[in-house]
Amino acid sequence: MSQPNLSLSHKIALVTGGASGLGLAIANTLAEAGATIIVIDCNQTKLKDLRNDFQKECVDVTDQEGMQAAINKVMNANGRIDILINNAGFIYNEPLINLTKAQRQHDYNAYKKIIDINMNSVFLTSAMVADHMIVKRTKGVIVNISSISADGNAGQTAYSAAKAGVNAFTKTWAKELGPFGIRVVAVSPGFIETPSTTQALSESMLDSLIKRIPLRKLGNALDVAHTVLSVVSNQYINGSIIPVNGGLVL
């Protein structure tokens, strides 16, 4: 029996939020496998620091017109997109009711912002790229970066709701796009040692969390990136939510 082909030579991969953290690890891993990489990120400074062989577009993923222009530019330059990694996102903590504050209820504007960044941007980008894939008859793959918080994490009303939505997108689109030869998969990390995690959680919270993880450690960005590479390379994974959490169950 032949082994799965992990080479992505001649494949075109678009990674949102790819200038740092998980996105950068994913972009580098796919590049090492041979893919041509396009990174979309809103941080111009970090984009400038990326390796020279990456194509770079500075766009806010929640900007519909900006994203459409960027994706059209990518299509004109490369002819197609084979791989879309929806990684752009932002961890946010706020309970529904906080008795320690004068304004006890969850801030509605913050809620809308987190939903926009973590869920609506996935909808916008995927619709645009899938449309091109279908027209070009590209048998591509869309990988959504979800989170263990999709199961409901106390203190993360908006973030958990957004990631649950991403999981629902994944299953729905796998059914809709599968007949066109387009796979849709989610990779769902647990707690990964990235700047966003350490900013969102205090040292005591992290220590307590690590004690609950059977492997007694946080994951790292390469753990997620290698899973993405495996998912992209395996042509029969579709509609699945792949956990990468060290055995932690919330």
Side-chain angles (χ1 to χ4, degrees):
M1 182 178 295
S2 62
Q3 296 297 313
N5 182 12
L6 297 183
S7 172
L8 300 180
S9 180
H10 307 301
K11 297 296 185 181
I12 311 297
L14 173 63
V15 182
T16 68
S20 61
L22 287 181
L24 179 56
I26 292 167
N28 284 333
T29 297
L30 298 183
E32 289 166 9
T36 296
I37 303 296
I38 302 100
V39 170
I40 288 181
D41 203 291
C42 62
N43 191 317
Q44 182 67 63
T45 301
K46 290 183 178 179
L47 280 172
K48 288 179 180 179
D49 291 336
L50 295 180
R51 42 195 278 185
N52 292 330
D53 59 331
F54 283 6
Q55 299 172 40
K56 309 159 193 177
E57 295 293 331
C58 188
V59 189
D60 183 334
V61 290
T62 65
D63 176 359
Q64 183 177 8
E65 291 184 1
M67 283 298 294
Q68 188 68 73
I71 289 171
N72 289 344
K73 182 179 177 181
V74 169
M75 289 296 300
N76 289 334
N78 299 279
R80 69 184 191 283
I81 297 171
D82 300 293
I83 302 162
L84 169 62
I85 311 296
N86 282 310
N87 167 78
F90 180 74
I91 297 175
Y92 182 74
N93 296 328
E94 185 178 350
L96 183 65
I97 304 296
N98 189 338
L99 295 177
T100 66
K101 292 187 175 181
Q103 175 55 45
R104 296 187 298 273
Q105 298 175 27
H106 192 300
D107 182 84
Y108 185 48
N109 287 327
Y111 168 83
K112 289 189 289 185
K113 179 180 178 180
I114 294 306
I115 294 294
D116 210 23
I117 294 171
N118 290 285
M119 187 175 77
N120 293 344
S121 69
V122 175
F123 169 82
L124 286 174
T125 308
S126 298
M128 294 172 186
V129 172
D131 186 41
H132 281 296
M133 286 179 172
I134 291 170
V135 170
K136 292 284 186 177
R137 299 186 178 181
T138 302
K139 295 187 183 303
V141 57
I142 297 171
V143 180
N144 299 322
I145 303 302
S146 182
S147 168
I148 195 172
S149 296
D151 289 332
N153 192 20
Q156 293 185 332
T157 290
Y159 185 70
S160 293
K163 292 302 185 179
V166 167
N167 286 355
F169 286 166
T170 300
K171 293 178 180 293
T172 301
W173 298 340
K175 295 172 183 176
E176 291 183 3
L177 301 177
F180 296 100
I182 301 168
R183 297 183 295 115
V184 187
V185 184
V187 171
S188 179
F191 290 89
I192 307 299
E193 195 168 3
T194 62
S196 60
T197 299
T198 54
Q199 289 168 12
L201 301 174
S202 67
E203 187 174 343
S204 62
M205 291 173 68
L206 282 172
D207 289 341
S208 175
L209 176 65
I210 289 170
K211 291 176 182 177
R212 292 166 47 206
I213 299 173
L215 294 180
R216 297 295 188 268
K217 63 178 182 178
L218 298 178
N220 62 60
L222 283 179
D223 295 326
V224 179
H226 291 157
T227 303
V228 171
L229 175 59
S230 178
V231 163
V232 167
S233 303
N234 190 318
Q235 299 298 309
Y236 205 60
I237 297 178
N238 186 39
S240 300
I241 316 295
I242 310 294
V244 187
N245 60 41
L248 175 65
V249 177
L250 290 179

